[in-house]
Amino acid sequence: MQGYDLIGDVHGCGATLVALLEKMGYREEQGVYRHPQRKVIFLGDLIDRGPRIRLAVQTARRMVDAGEAYIVMGNHEYNALAYCHPAPEGSGRRWLREHSPRHNRIIQDTLDQYRDHTNEWEDTLAWFKRIPLYLEFEHFRVVHACWDDALIEALAQRLPDACMDDDFLIESTRSNTQAFHIVDRLTRGTHIPLPKGVEIHSGDGFTRKSFRAHFWCEQPLVWGDVVFQPDNLPGDLEARPLADNERQRLSYYAPDQPPLFIGHYWCEGIPALPASNIACLDYSAVKYGRLVAYRWSGETCLNADSFTWIKVAREELPQVSGWDLDQD
């Protein structure tokens, strides 16, 4: 083993994923992409929005099942589990995740692409439940959105393999529970609400009333110290002082902690390191950005030269390298 190739949010760009694997020297053998000296770690969010969701899931899953890759859960896999899981009797709702217009829109592309493959979708949901919420290796760590030591310790005490069971999944959909706080922080990070009446009209078509905050500033003073998203804050809000309750909500990942790999944050442009020991690998692939990988080979100080990527084309080809989507 020479190292690991960590791949950011695919979001259904399955053909681009295959192209990225091949660019990094992986070759398809009996339905599984393999490298003679390296393995892949997927950062989650394989599904939703993109044109080749089933290809993305099947490519990743076959690698994971064959021992050629690892994966952590993204918020979109978690959302799919809650969306498709019936709520407990007497809860006053039908599903764990409400089938609201917003939630319907987020998952619609996935459901459409699995519509004629219902057994495969049910099997895929069962696989999602076996995906851990984080991974900790000897010299580096992986989580979809945010590493929080206290919450990860609490999760490890409850679920040593970091994989959700039904009880944890059900509990995680109730906002006053420990399970909710664990899943929300690890897969979505921290959001800070905007002032009343202020909204962000995001490039993905959604209107947001909060912004995404990062977790590697030791003593943040203003909103601009922690905002981490492609959308700018309206007006002069970057200069707005952080309130005590807002600062208390933030996690902190110190520069002397092991290298950490995350996705989730819709970065744009040429991949860069937000901190010397943190790499974000989500570069808005499904918005015709880049599907990005970091080729880690044991270094404790990360290097931007280790990024590699494929720019996502406007239309992914219907077939890639002879891959048969429905092969056994």
Side-chain angles (χ1 to χ4, degrees):
M1 277 285 293
Q2 288 183 343
Y4 295 90
D5 298 314
L6 298 104
I7 297 178
D9 305 31
V10 179
H11 277 307
C13 297
T16 305
L17 171 59
V18 169
L20 179 62
L21 289 169
E22 293 182 346
K23 178 179 179 179
M24 294 190 296
Y26 290 79
R27 296 294 179 261
E28 186 266 329
E29 300 174 6
Q30 298 181 331
V32 177
Y33 275 87
R34 307 174 189 269
H35 191 286
Q37 296 171 310
R38 304 182 69 84
K39 292 185 179 183
V40 163
I41 302 175
F42 294 100
L43 273 292
D45 280 6
L46 298 174
I47 64 170
D48 294 341
R49 300 191 172 115
R52 303 296 302 277
I53 293 168
R54 291 178 58 231
L55 176 59
V57 172
Q58 289 190 3
T59 301
R61 181 177 178 179
R62 288 169 180 171
M63 292 181 71
V64 171
D65 290 349
E68 300 296 327
Y70 299 89
I71 187 171
V72 295
M73 182 175 291
N75 56 303
H76 283 256
E77 284 79 34
Y78 169 77
N79 290 346
L81 285 171
Y83 186 94
C84 297
H85 194 290
E89 291 186 11
S91 64
R93 50 183 176 162
R94 184 176 178 186
W95 306 98
L96 291 181
R97 180 172 169 87
E98 180 187 6
H99 288 197
S100 65
R102 178 187 178 91
H103 295 166
N104 294 343
R105 176 183 171 186
I106 290 171
I107 201 172
Q108 192 60 55
D109 290 312
T110 298
L111 297 180
D112 286 346
Q113 292 176 45
Y114 279 95
R115 177 170 291 117
D116 297 327
H117 308 275
T118 54
N119 289 340
E120 182 183 340
W121 176 236
E122 291 300 320
D123 188 54
T124 297
L125 288 171
W127 180 62
F128 286 170
K129 286 181 64 177
R130 300 195 297 272
I131 296 177
L133 285 160
Y134 73 94
L135 289 169
E136 185 165 19
F137 294 82
E138 184 177 0
H139 298 297
F140 68 97
R141 296 165 170 172
V142 186
V143 71
H144 182 66
C146 176
W147 189 277
D148 185 295
D149 286 315
L151 291 176
I152 284 177
E153 182 180 356
L155 174 62
Q157 291 177 357
R158 293 186 59 174
L159 300 169
D161 62 359
C163 299
M164 294 188 294
D165 55 23
D166 282 343
D167 290 340
F168 189 91
L169 175 62
I170 292 169
E171 180 188 331
S172 71
T173 61
R174 301 195 300 268
S175 61
N176 60 342
T177 66
Q178 182 189 61
F180 173 87
H181 292 299
I182 291 171
V183 172
D184 191 59
R185 182 59 55 92
L186 272 56
T187 68
R188 296 190 181 96
T190 301
H191 291 72
I192 294 180
L194 294 167
K196 186 176 181 180
V198 177
E199 297 177 338
I200 294 175
H201 300 282
S202 182
D204 60 8
F206 288 99
T207 298
R208 292 183 167 86
K209 298 181 179 181
S210 64
F211 68 88
R212 291 178 175 180
H214 67 68
F215 52 94
W216 47 84
C217 184
E218 183 175 7
Q219 294 181 327
L221 300 176
V222 297
W223 281 12
D225 290 337
V226 295
V227 63
F228 194 60
Q229 61 182 30
D231 299 306
N232 294 324
L233 294 181
D236 60 355
L237 288 179
E238 288 205 2
R240 181 185 176 107
L242 275 163
D244 289 341
N245 66 316
E246 293 168 343
R247 191 178 291 106
Q248 291 168 4
R249 293 174 61 171
L250 298 171
S251 302
Y252 175 58
Y253 199 81
D256 59 350
Q257 291 183 269
L260 174 67
F261 298 93
I262 59 174
H264 186 63
Y265 290 95
W266 294 99
C267 298
E268 295 179 339
I270 301 298
L273 297 169
S276 62
N277 62 335
I278 298 175
C280 180
L281 302 177
D282 180 10
Y283 275 79
S284 306
V286 78
K287 294 195 289 184
Y288 309 111
R290 292 169 171 83
L291 183 59
V292 175
Y294 185 97
R295 311 206 74 181
W296 186 82
S297 300
E299 64 271 22
T300 56
C301 185
L302 302 181
N303 187 337
D305 291 338
S306 295
F307 286 115
T308 189
W309 61 82
I310 295 284
K311 293 196 72 173
V312 180
R314 285 281 166 175
E315 291 185 6
E316 292 195 300
L317 297 175
Q319 292 186 4
V320 179
S321 300
W323 184 274
D324 179 1
L325 189 61
D326 294 308
Q327 69 183 32
D328 293 332

